[in-house]
Amino acid sequence: MIPPGASVHHATAVAVDGRGLMIRGASGRGKSGLALEMMARGAVLVADDRVIVERRGAHLWLSCPAPLRGMIEARGIGLLRTTPGHPVRLCAVLDLDNVETARMPQRREIVLHGQRIPLLHHAGTPTFPAALVQYLRSGRRNAPLITDQQARTQRVVLVTGPSGAGRSTAINALEDFGYEAIDNIPLRLIPRLLEGGALARPVALGVDIRNRDFSVQRLIDLYRDFGQDPRLDAQLLYLDCTPEVLARRYSETRRRHPLAPDESYTSGIAREIALLEVARGVADILVDTSELSPHDLRTRMENLFADATGQQLAVSVQSFSYKRGLPQGLDWVFDCRFLDNPHWDPDLRGLTGLDAAVQAHVRRDARFAPFVDQLCALALFVLPACKEEGKAHLAFGLGCTGGQHRSVTVAETLARSLAEQDWQVSCRHRELERRGLAAVASQPGDVGGRQG
C-alpha cells in the first residue's frame, strides 16, 4: 500500500548509517549492480526496482513496496534475498544516465516533493562505489564544491509590482524552488549583498514602495548597473494587476494602502500604479496576476524560474471545470467529458476522483483505457523533445463538466504514469481546492508528494 501523497520511482535505494541514496537511471544502466557493490562495502539495501519517496515533516524518506522487500536482482544469477532495510532519510540522488567528467564536479541539486536534494552524476570509476559509501557516511562534509564558473556568475531576480499583486507569494515560491529570497530589502543594501562573490544559490530580492529609500529611478539604475556587470545574470520581474482586482483584494483584507494610509485604498492604488509605470516598461518579465490564484502564480513562477536551481523538466497536470474556464498557462488541454459521469450515481455524487469508488467507476468505461494509454504515449513522446529543447516546464490540463470526478481521475492516472517513468510531476485539482475537497495538491512524481 502506497502512503497517501507518496511517489513511486523506478530506482534502487541503499543506505549507510541511516543516510539514503536513491539511484536512478534507465533500465540496464546498472542500478542494482552498483547497489550490490555498495552493499559489499557496508551499505544496506532499502529497495530495488521500485522506491517509495514520502515526505515526513521537513525531510524525504525512502522505503520499499511490501512485495519487493529484501530482494535485489543480480544479473546472471536472479533474485537475491538480503536483510530488508528500514525506511531512511533521502540524502542524495544519483543519476546514472549522466556521466560525470569533472574531477571536482559542480554543485547540483534536484527538487523532489518541494525539497532540494543533492544530485550526483555517475563517475564510472572502479572506486566510485566505495566513494559513494564514504560520501553517505561523511554526510554534508562531502558536499560538492562550487566551480569557478559558478563563482563568476550570480543569478539575481528583482521582484517588484504594486502592493497586492502577489509579490510575497512569488517570493515565497522562489524560496521554495531553491532561491535565497529576501523581501523588502533597502535598495542601498543590495550592492553590498552581492559584493563578496557569487552565492551558492540564485537570489530573489523583493523591492517595493515600503522601503524608505525606494525610488523607481534608483531601482532602474540598479538594474541597469547589474546588466553591465559580467558577474551577474539579472532579471526584473514585474507583477502586474488591474486596479479593480487590487481594490477587491484590499477590500477583502481591510488593510491600509502604504501610499494612502489616511485615505481610501483606491487612491493609493492609483498613485502606486502611476509611480511604477516606468519600472513596468523596462521589466524583463511581466506577469499579470489579475486572474491568478496563489496556486496559479506559484505554477507560473515554477515555469519561469525553477530551472535555475538545476532541477529537470517539470511537468504539471491539472484538472479543472469547463464551467469556470481554462486555467492559465496550460500547454496541452484534453476534454474528459465523453467518459461516463459518476455524478449521475447518487452514491458517488459527493465523492471525488481521489476516491477509489469514483476511479473504479470511470475506469469501467470502455473508452477510458484507450484514451489514457494514448494520452500517456503522447506525453512520453513530447516530453523528451521539450527537455532537449531546453524547456523547463510543460503543463497538461484535463477538463470535465464539474472538475470533480472524471478529470480528476484522468489527471491522477496520467501523473502517476509519468512519475513511474521518472518524470518530475506535480498534480493539482483546481475545483477541489476551491471547494475545500482537496486541502492540498498531489504530486505523484515530484517528482511527488503533497503541496498547498
Side-chain angles (χ1 to χ4, degrees), residues 138-409:
S138 301
R140 288 185 175 271
R141 287 177 291 173
N142 284 330
L145 299 176
I146 301 173
T147 63
D148 291 340
Q149 176 61 35
Q150 286 177 303
R152 289 195 297 270
T153 305
Q154 170 70 58
R155 185 170 188 181
V156 181
V157 178
L158 299 171
V159 185
T160 193
S163 304
R167 187 185 57 257
S168 295
T169 298
I171 286 287
N172 292 337
L174 290 169
E175 185 172 25
D176 290 342
F177 301 150
Y179 283 71
E180 180 171 338
I182 306 175
D183 195 12
N184 198 24
I185 182 172
L187 292 175
R188 68 180 183 278
L189 297 181
I190 292 178
R192 299 186 200 175
L193 177 69
L194 304 173
E195 280 178 354
L199 305 174
R201 296 184 286 164
V203 177
L205 304 175
V207 290
D208 62 83
I209 60 171
R210 293 173 296 169
N211 290 323
R212 66 179 66 179
D213 69 344
F214 179 84
S215 76
V216 174
Q217 190 57 53
R218 181 176 293 182
L219 171 61
I220 293 174
D221 290 344
L222 178 68
Y223 168 62
R224 288 174 175 165
D225 289 343
F226 284 173
Q228 300 298 317
D229 192 333
R231 300 170 302 170
L232 301 177
D233 174 17
Q235 290 179 299
L236 178 60
L237 167 65
Y238 189 94
L239 299 173
D240 200 10
C241 191
T242 65
E244 295 77 17
V245 173
L246 290 174
R248 186 178 72 241
R249 292 174 181 174
Y250 265 94
S251 175
E252 292 171 350
T253 60
R254 300 186 178 182
R255 297 189 62 190
R256 295 181 178 181
H257 194 283
L259 286 185
D262 300 320
E263 303 175 61
S264 169
Y265 51 76
T266 56
S267 300
I269 291 171
R271 291 171 189 162
E272 186 174 22
I273 290 177
L275 177 67
L276 295 176
E277 184 61 29
V278 177
R280 183 182 186 277
V282 302
D284 295 294
I285 303 172
L286 181 68
V287 176
D288 189 341
T289 69
S290 302
E291 298 182 5
L292 299 183
S293 70
H295 289 293
D296 295 330
L297 179 55
R298 180 184 175 87
T299 298
R300 188 67 62 85
M301 291 298 101
E302 181 180 16
N303 188 3
L304 292 169
F305 297 107
D307 61 309
T309 61
Q311 67 183 49
Q312 64 186 63
L313 171 67
V315 184
S316 66
V317 179
Q318 181 175 173
S319 68
F320 65 92
S321 165
Y322 275 101
K323 292 188 293 185
R324 295 193 64 241
L326 271 64
Q328 294 191 14
L330 296 179
D331 298 295
W332 295 75
V333 178
F334 299 90
D335 192 339
C336 303
R337 289 177 289 188
F338 66 91
L339 296 172
D340 190 22
N341 192 351
H343 174 80
W344 303 115
D345 185 334
D347 294 332
L348 302 178
R349 185 171 300 171
L351 302 179
T352 76
L354 299 176
D355 295 301
V358 171
Q359 293 181 359
H361 179 100
V362 177
R363 287 173 177 150
R364 279 197 296 269
D365 189 324
R367 297 164 294 188
F368 175 83
F371 172 60
V372 170
D373 289 346
Q374 294 187 53
L375 181 59
C376 292
L378 174 64
L380 293 173
F381 174 77
V382 169
L383 287 172
C386 292
K387 182 178 181 180
E388 183 177 341
E389 185 189 2
K391 192 174 179 66
H393 184 267
L394 195 69
F396 293 90
L398 290 306
C400 65
T401 305
Q404 179 175 333
H405 299 112
R406 294 166 290 180
S407 61
V408 173
T409 299

Side-chain angles (χ1 to χ4, degrees), residues 99-108 119-123 128 135 142-148 150:
V99 177
E100 185 59 76
T101 57
R103 292 187 62 185
M104 299 291 289
Q106 65 177 347
R107 182 174 183 169
R108 302 184 186 92
L119 176 65
L120 308 175
H121 287 173
H122 185 33
F128 191 54
Y135 172 86
N142 284 330
L145 299 176
I146 301 173
T147 63
D148 291 340
Q150 286 177 303

